[in-house]
Amino acid sequence: MRLELRGITKRFGALVANDHIDLVVNPGEIHSLLGENGAGKSTLMNVLYGLYSADEGQILLDDEVQRFAGPGDAMAAGIGMVHQHFMLVPVFTVAENVMLGHESTRAGGVLDLEEARAKVREISARFGFHVDPDALVEDLPVGVQQRVEIIKALSRDADVLVFDEPTAVLTPQETDELMGIMRQLRDEGAAIVFITHKLREVRAVADRITVIRHGKVVGEARPTASDAELASLMVGRAVELTVHKDAPQLRDNALEVTDLEVTGPDGQVLVDRISFTVRGGEVLVIAGVQGNGQTEVTEALLGLQENVSGSVRLDGTELVGRTVRQILQAGVGFVPEDRNEDGLVGEFTIAENLVLDRTDGPPFVRRGMLQLATRDEFARDRVAEFDVRTQGIETRVGRLSGGNQQKVVLARELSRELRLFVAAQPTRGVDVGSIEFIHKRIVATRDEGVPVVVVSTELDEAVALADRIMVMYRGRVVGIVPADTPRDTLGLMMAGIAPEDGPGAPAGNDGDEGDAA
């Protein structure tokens, strides 16, 4: 089935998310829609899938104009979508999830689960998925859950398949397997739209590439285009993609974490007695698929987790048991993984956000009075130093782009006298140009002799920034390895297989792995 989008325009108030976009996807083709977060890719696909109605333009399938009142109409027309965040019911079986929304019944109105099971078995056999139709979704690994999403789409006879950032929660090996599945679907005649911002994946699997920037199509490319050429199209200027850094010059100051354990409110162990050391002058990247305890580690370092045991010592000073304010005052800078929820106040100005946690004394407060002139001078200097693109320091931070918002967070956290810098997902939702800037600042902080801890689910970023990489799986440390460790090895570690183990061996729980690395 041939898909054509003509002049699709979608507005949200004054924001034009899609601006007269044209796109053609042919049967037997993987067409990659490449662009930064916020470029309008997912909005466009939500229009295609019937989740949004276009303000202007047409959707055509085999030259026939379509009108979708909702996803049900899109699915009935042969369009399937594999969402970045899985649309599955965890407590249902695979078969129950597959039939959900288009249930078939036997005599007496009884659900015909056997038909759904047969459909799962048939599609699984066809693509080598090895998915048990009676398995509970919540018991399945993330990579298998994604296959369930694909089975759902194929069970409804989808001829056009949309993969929306499908590798965000996958290990490198699972990503490679997904690429193979996409190629097989293409070879069987499916028209595939692959949405991503990862250049490596685009070049590996796409037949054609369309680049979107600020809601507009800005160019097309072949997969033979270089990363630099694709990045330039995405950003609108030349971008330095390589992180340049010298060998680390290790100092005596250090962060020492010993037997750190974090439990949730229900008693579940989220971080399982991990130990590691970060010396001044090095970057330790905590890698792994999202949701394996990395977030809880950073929050424990900052005093944001309540149920914490073990030791976190910074230059010999114990941080466990201290308040967040006390930890910040001890010289810890922190970039949270969700800047909008935990890093900024959207309705506050840039100037106000730059001093959020520094209004308890000089230089910004004297005798209980906020020193506006001092604050504003500080803000103007930081805006210039960190290249925040804005009309002025009185601009509300919620009006800035994602990259500029992140620069405000970095400017605040790196403008204090640091003894430790912790950055969780520092480039999430940030354009390529801002990524370049953020990476340079992280390396500069490391070169000043500060211990740096970075959490990243982007393996390319982890390898580029790290002096050492600590991989976590289900709250445990699988191992701590040099940054030049092969990607295949890192991928196996992200699946819980320690470097010294053979394939299929589970990760151990050696709390001293960090010291041994």
Side-chain angles (χ1 to χ4, degrees):
M1 185 181 292
R2 181 178 184 270
L3 167 68
E4 182 179 1
L5 304 180
R6 291 181 185 170
I8 296 295
T9 299
K10 180 61 183 176
R11 303 181 185 90
F12 297 97
L15 173 66
V16 182
N18 293 149
D19 191 354
H20 296 90
I21 290 181
D22 297 326
L23 183 73
V24 174
V25 187
N26 295 307
E29 175 184 59
I30 299 174
H31 195 129
S32 178
L33 202 57
L34 178 65
E36 283 302 310
N37 290 305
K41 309 182 302 295
S42 293
T43 298
L44 183 65
M45 291 302 103
N46 285 333
V47 169
L48 170 63
Y49 199 55
L51 290 167
Y52 296 151
S53 296
D55 296 308
E56 298 177 34
Q58 295 177 319
I59 300 170
L60 295 90
L61 295 174
D62 285 341
D63 297 323
E64 291 188 12
V65 176
Q66 308 292 316
R67 291 177 176 82
F68 301 147
D73 291 344
M75 286 186 282
I79 297 172
M81 183 176 252
V82 178
H83 299 268
Q84 176 180 354
H85 304 291
F86 303 150
M87 302 295 182
L88 301 172
V89 180
V91 297
F92 282 10
T93 67
V94 170
E96 289 167 341
N97 271 281
V98 166
M99 77 184 311
L100 192 63
H102 65 146
E103 297 85 351
S104 58
T105 57
R106 299 196 303 267
V110 179
L111 288 175
D112 192 356
L113 265 175
E114 190 50 48
E115 180 181 331
R117 292 188 184 101
K119 182 70 75 172
V120 172
R121 293 189 191 101
E122 184 264 317
I123 296 173
S124 293
R126 183 167 137 211
F127 291 97
F129 282 175
H130 308 293
V131 175
D132 178 3
D134 293 316
L136 288 177
V137 163
E138 64 184 356
D139 295 333
L140 298 176
V142 171
V144 178
Q145 289 187 30
Q146 189 172 69
R147 293 179 180 187
V148 176
E149 285 277 22
I150 296 170
I151 291 171
K152 273 177 58 181
L154 294 176
S155 72
R156 301 173 191 190
D157 300 320
D159 297 309
V160 177
L161 283 167
V162 178
F163 289 82
D164 186 5
E165 298 280 6
T167 65
V169 294
L170 301 184
T171 67
Q173 281 81 2
E174 289 170 334
T175 295
D176 290 342
E177 290 172 5
L178 176 64
M179 299 294 183
I181 292 167
M182 291 170 65
R183 293 187 189 99
Q184 187 177 350
L185 289 164
R186 173 199 63 193
D187 293 344
E188 292 197 0
I192 295 176
V193 182
F194 175 37
I195 304 175
T196 186
H197 65 276
K198 299 180 181 179
L199 303 180
R200 177 194 298 270
E201 296 170 3
V202 167
R203 297 179 64 221
V205 77
D207 298 307
R208 282 196 299 144
I209 303 166
T210 293
V211 182
I212 294 182
R213 183 171 74 242
H214 302 316
K216 296 182 179 181
V217 172
V218 294
E220 291 194 358
R222 306 296 298 180
T224 51
S226 68
D227 284 354
E229 290 170 330
L230 293 173
S232 178
L233 273 175
M234 291 167 66
V235 179
R237 64 173 177 82
V239 178
E240 177 59 65
L241 296 174
T242 304
V243 177
H244 297 286
K245 65 182 192 292
D246 297 324
Q249 302 296 314
L250 298 181
R251 315 289 179 89
D252 291 334
N253 55 309
L255 169 73
E256 298 171 284
V257 176
T258 307
D259 291 336
L260 180 68
E261 183 171 277
V262 180
T263 56
D266 58 355
Q268 179 185 4
V269 177
L270 305 173
V271 178
D272 194 354
R273 297 185 65 248
I274 70 170
S275 299
F276 62 92
T277 297
V278 190
R279 298 270 297 277
E282 74 167 335
V283 176
L284 177 75
V285 174
I286 305 177
V289 174
Q290 184 76 25
N292 279 280
Q294 308 98 310
T295 297
E296 288 76 15
V297 170
T298 60
E299 291 178 347
L301 297 180
L302 268 294
L304 293 166
Q305 285 283 340
E306 293 184 0
N307 302 313
V308 177
S309 63
S311 174
V312 176
R313 299 181 71 83
L314 180 59
D315 300 337
T317 300
E318 181 62 59
L319 298 184
V320 172
R322 292 194 171 197
T323 66
V324 175
R325 179 176 292 277
Q326 288 171 334
I327 291 172
L328 293 173
Q329 290 174 338
V332 179
F334 179 49
V335 176
E337 65 180 55
D338 187 338
R339 59 179 167 270
N340 294 312
E341 186 72 22
D342 302 313
L344 298 166
V345 179
E347 293 301 308
F348 282 12
T349 67
I350 293 172
E352 290 168 336
N353 273 279
L354 283 169
V355 297
L356 272 182
D357 52 8
R358 302 176 69 175
T359 56
D360 56 342
F364 301 114
V365 173
R366 296 183 187 277
R367 297 176 182 173
M369 297 292 292
L370 182 63
Q371 305 299 298
L372 292 177
T374 302
R375 183 201 68 182
D376 291 352
E377 181 182 4
F378 172 81
R380 283 189 289 268
D381 289 345
R382 298 293 79 74
V383 164
E385 179 186 355
F386 285 81
D387 191 30
V388 180
R389 307 292 174 86
T390 177
Q391 294 180 336
I393 61 172
E394 294 303 318
T395 299
R396 284 190 293 184
V397 82
R399 293 182 177 176
L400 300 178
S401 68
N404 284 303
Q405 288 180 351
Q406 193 75 338
K407 286 179 181 179
V408 172
V409 177
L410 278 167
R412 182 183 65 230
E413 298 306 309
L414 293 179
S415 296
R416 67 175 89 240
E417 191 169 332
L418 290 180
R419 294 164 60 200
L420 170 67
F421 182 54
V422 180
Q425 313 294 355
T427 60
R428 174 176 285 171
V430 169
D431 64 73
V432 173
S434 295
I435 289 173
E436 174 190 18
F437 179 88
I438 291 168
H439 284 172
K440 286 180 179 178
R441 294 300 308 214
I442 290 173
V443 171
T445 302
R446 164 253 212 190
D447 290 344
E448 291 169 1
V450 176
V452 177
V453 177
V454 173
V455 172
S456 180
T457 55
E458 300 283 355
L459 191 52
D460 287 341
E461 178 173 66
V463 171
L465 281 178
D467 297 303
R468 292 184 299 143
I469 299 174
M470 181 174 88
V471 181
M472 292 189 66
Y473 179 73
R474 295 186 178 177
R476 301 179 178 184
V477 174
V478 180
I480 303 180
V481 295
D484 60 1
T485 300
R487 289 177 63 90
D488 287 349
T489 301
L490 292 171
L492 289 171
M493 294 173 70
M494 290 167 69
I497 301 171
E500 65 273 13
D501 296 333
N509 188 26
D510 183 354
D512 297 323
E513 284 181 270
D515 296 328

